[in-house]
Amino acid sequence: MPSTADSVEVDFITPRHLAGGGDPAWITVPLHRACGWSHGLDPLMPRVLLSSPDQKALLRLEPNPDDQWWTLQHTAEAGRPAWYASFGARTPVELIAAVTDALTAPVTPAGESCDPFEPLRQTAWSAPTIGADGLVSPDGTAYVQRLGSEEEPGAWFVTATLGPDRRPVWQARFGTHTPARLVTAFTAALTDSHPVYRTAGEQKLPTLDPHLVTRRFLDVPAVVGRL
């Protein structure tokens, strides 16, 4: 059924890591309205800055064709050095929102003992056949790796790629001291089998390959499609 003035055609896409970036408001609006993060406004710069109520965390969205578009920085506090997380332009907003949701949620006693690899193991991710340590998705298009060793663990890298040349689609990076519960929130969202919706059209999707991406079209009320 063709879309009308009161409706918009929405793509529901799986897997979510190949759905494209999505609407940044999915992240910024809850932080501002529900969590009280304040925003800075610079009309001369194409960027968004949001700071937490305690001024310890800063989220920056700044279009940069040569580097990460999203950066979350947190100052040092008792028992933990400063840390950061950053995300490429095509990182799905649902995955980034999982991190900011975990950051603003109360910390449970078991929160810091999370293993970011566990959600991947539970969804049939496996060790790569060659190359570095880590886990790769069943379709071979996403890869999660932690640098360093068990004695001295380092940063986390999550990369989505396409094609035989493993062309990068996006990359997420978590510094060495990023709380494990935040990285686990990201990997759990990464393996979520529920589709995500996009309204920007085919040109915003990293791939249309039906062997890699499943798309379902549905007309929804225009006000919902703009959320």
Side-chain angles (χ1 to χ4, degrees), residues 2-222:
S3 299
T4 68
D6 297 324
S7 66
V8 60
E9 188 177 72
V10 173
D11 274 352
F12 286 86
I13 301 168
T14 53
R16 51 180 48 194
H17 65 270
L18 295 179
D23 186 353
W26 190 271
I27 302 163
T28 59
V29 170
L31 283 177
H32 176 59
R33 294 183 180 176
C35 300
W37 287 44
S38 58
H39 64 83
L41 177 62
D42 184 348
L44 301 181
M45 295 291 291
R47 65 184 180 188
V48 175
L49 298 174
L50 284 170
S51 55
S52 60
D54 61 8
Q55 299 299 301
K56 292 182 178 180
L58 176 68
L59 178 67
R60 179 192 300 267
L61 170 57
E62 188 168 13
N64 184 342
D66 299 318
D67 205 351
Q68 305 287 79
W69 283 38
W70 294 89
T71 304
L72 176 62
Q73 296 173 303
H74 198 284
T75 60
E77 53 188 344
R80 186 184 301 278
W83 57 266
Y84 79 92
S86 66
F87 311 92
R90 284 186 163 182
T91 309
V93 292
E94 293 83 0
L95 307 188
I96 304 173
V99 175
T100 56
D101 287 349
L103 176 62
T104 56
V107 181
T108 63
E112 293 306 310
S113 63
C114 296
D115 177 4
F117 280 129
E118 188 57 30
L120 310 179
R121 297 189 188 101
Q122 292 179 1
T123 49
W125 286 49
S126 58
T129 54
I130 57 174
D133 295 334
L135 292 175
V136 64
S137 62
D139 65 3
T141 61
Y143 176 55
V144 176
Q145 177 189 18
R146 187 169 201 187
L147 302 182
S149 63
E150 290 187 9
E151 294 76 18
E152 296 185 14
W156 292 87
F157 288 84
V158 184
T159 308
T161 63
L162 286 172
D165 58 348
R166 302 184 65 82
R167 170 176 54 86
V169 177
W170 57 262
Q171 186 175 79
R173 306 167 189 167
F174 298 89
T176 301
H177 303 292
T178 305
R181 62 189 176 88
L182 304 187
V183 187
T184 302
F186 188 89
T187 58
L190 178 64
T191 60
D192 191 333
S193 61
H194 290 89
V196 295
Y197 69 82
R198 296 290 183 264
T199 59
E202 294 182 350
Q203 71 276 10
K204 294 293 185 179
L205 299 180
T207 181
L208 301 177
D209 187 343
H211 298 291
L212 295 176
V213 175
T214 299
R215 303 170 63 199
R216 181 170 61 91
F217 302 99
L218 186 68
D219 277 354
V220 301

